[in-house]
Amino acid sequence: TQLLEQSPQFLSIQEGENLTVYCNSSSVFSSLQWYRQEPGEGPVLLVTVVTGGEVKKLKRLTFQFGDARKDSSLHITAAQPGDTGLYLCAGHLGKLIFGQGTTLQVKP
Amino acid sequence: DSGVTQTPKHLITATGQRVTLRCSPRSGDLSVYWYQQSLDQGLQFLIQYYNGEERAKGNILERFSAQQFPDLHSELNLSSLELGDSALYFCASSSLIGSQSRQYFGPGTRLTVT
């Protein structure tokens, strides 16, 4: 059983569409991070959220931390082929616990 | 480029063998983390070192061991290898520790056990 459940696992969309990826848990996290990983490379940190209800924006990406600090979402507006990759959420419980990831493919 | 280097990039070996993976953290980072990424288990934390001392342990098998040297580079030793040990092994480093520290990941070592 995964401590952090991500959904969906796979997403294939057309360029210009919007999408949301969810990261859910029954545990409370002191912080939650989102990473993007491309084939052949290590994960790269996109954002860290620490306060319940916090919303952070990174260009076309919007990250939200749930009020109870148990869940988070990543929303991408007008997806582009360059957004293709594996998106991982990770919560800190003395160590980083990663979700299984969401593989996103954006077709031109 | 994260500044974290890992060698080798690829490693193919046979069951029962022993291998050593090497990691050099970003300049100035005292903390090193090792992770294993496989298709069925995802990205799993193995172990963390801080300035030469073991700091935290995750799902690391007894056949695996690691250490961090005085120059802060780290090695992950995998012994009595099994087919199921085939995976990507990542090293990450950070300058701080704690829930808001940023970890920088290396490019990984792909281990194939045949």
Side-chain angles (χ1 to χ4, degrees):
Chain A
T1 304
Q2 287 285 324
L3 200 57
L4 275 171
E5 297 282 347
Q6 277 188 246
S7 61
Q9 281 189 296
F10 301 98
L11 200 49
S12 181
I13 60 173
Q14 293 294 136
E15 181 177 0
E17 291 184 21
N18 302 332
L19 67 115
T20 302
V21 177
Y22 299 93
C23 177
N24 296 300
S25 176
S26 57
S27 298
V28 176
F29 291 97
S30 53
S31 69
L32 205 139
Q33 297 179 328
W34 284 92
Y35 290 79
R36 188 164 81 99
Q37 184 179 12
E38 297 190 37
E41 298 179 12
V44 176
L45 180 67
L46 296 173
V47 76
T48 300
V49 285
V50 297
T51 306
E54 182 176 3
V55 177
K56 279 192 174 178
K57 291 194 175 185
L58 188 66
K59 296 183 182 177
R60 293 175 294 98
L61 278 59
T62 301
F63 304 87
Q64 187 160 4
F65 201 12
D67 290 340
R69 290 185 290 130
K70 292 183 180 180
D71 55 84
S72 181
S73 64
L74 157 60
H75 182 78
I76 301 180
T77 304
Q80 298 177 2
D83 296 327
T84 292
L86 175 67
Y87 289 82
L88 295 158
C89 66
H92 204 279
L93 281 177
K95 58 189 179 185
L96 268 185
I97 309 294
F98 282 85
Q100 283 284 72
T102 295
T103 300
L104 172 65
Q105 180 188 45
V106 182
K107 293 177 279 190
Chain B
D1 185 358
S2 66
V4 177
T5 59
Q6 289 186 248
T7 56
K9 192 160 179 63
H10 300 278
L11 197 49
I12 302 174
T13 189
T15 54
Q17 295 299 304
R18 173 189 169 95
V19 297
T20 297
L21 312 184
R22 183 187 168 105
C23 167
S24 291
R26 288 189 328 148
S27 177
D29 284 358
L30 298 179
S31 200
V32 169
Y33 311 77
W34 285 99
Y35 293 86
Q36 179 193 59
Q37 187 175 39
S38 61
L39 281 175
D40 56 340
Q41 296 290 324
L43 192 58
Q44 302 266 323
F45 168 73
L46 295 178
I47 197 164
Q48 177 198 359
Y49 280 83
Y50 180 79
N51 203 21
E53 300 290 324
E54 183 183 302
R55 178 87 183 183
K57 230 171 182 176
N59 304 322
I60 188 165
L61 300 172
E62 284 191 15
R63 299 183 286 108
F64 296 0
S65 65
Q67 59 185 131
Q68 186 179 27
F69 295 87
D71 66 353
L72 300 177
H73 91 272
S74 178
E75 292 180 356
L76 178 66
N77 300 296
L78 315 176
S79 62
S80 302
L81 285 167
E82 301 175 0
L83 295 177
D85 298 328
S86 296
L88 273 166
Y89 290 85
F90 288 102
C91 167
S93 74
S94 68
S95 56
L96 303 173
I97 54 176
S99 63
Q100 296 186 43
S101 65
R102 174 172 182 161
Q103 293 184 26
Y104 293 84
F105 283 77
T109 292
R110 181 175 292 280
L111 173 66
T112 303
V113 183
T114 62

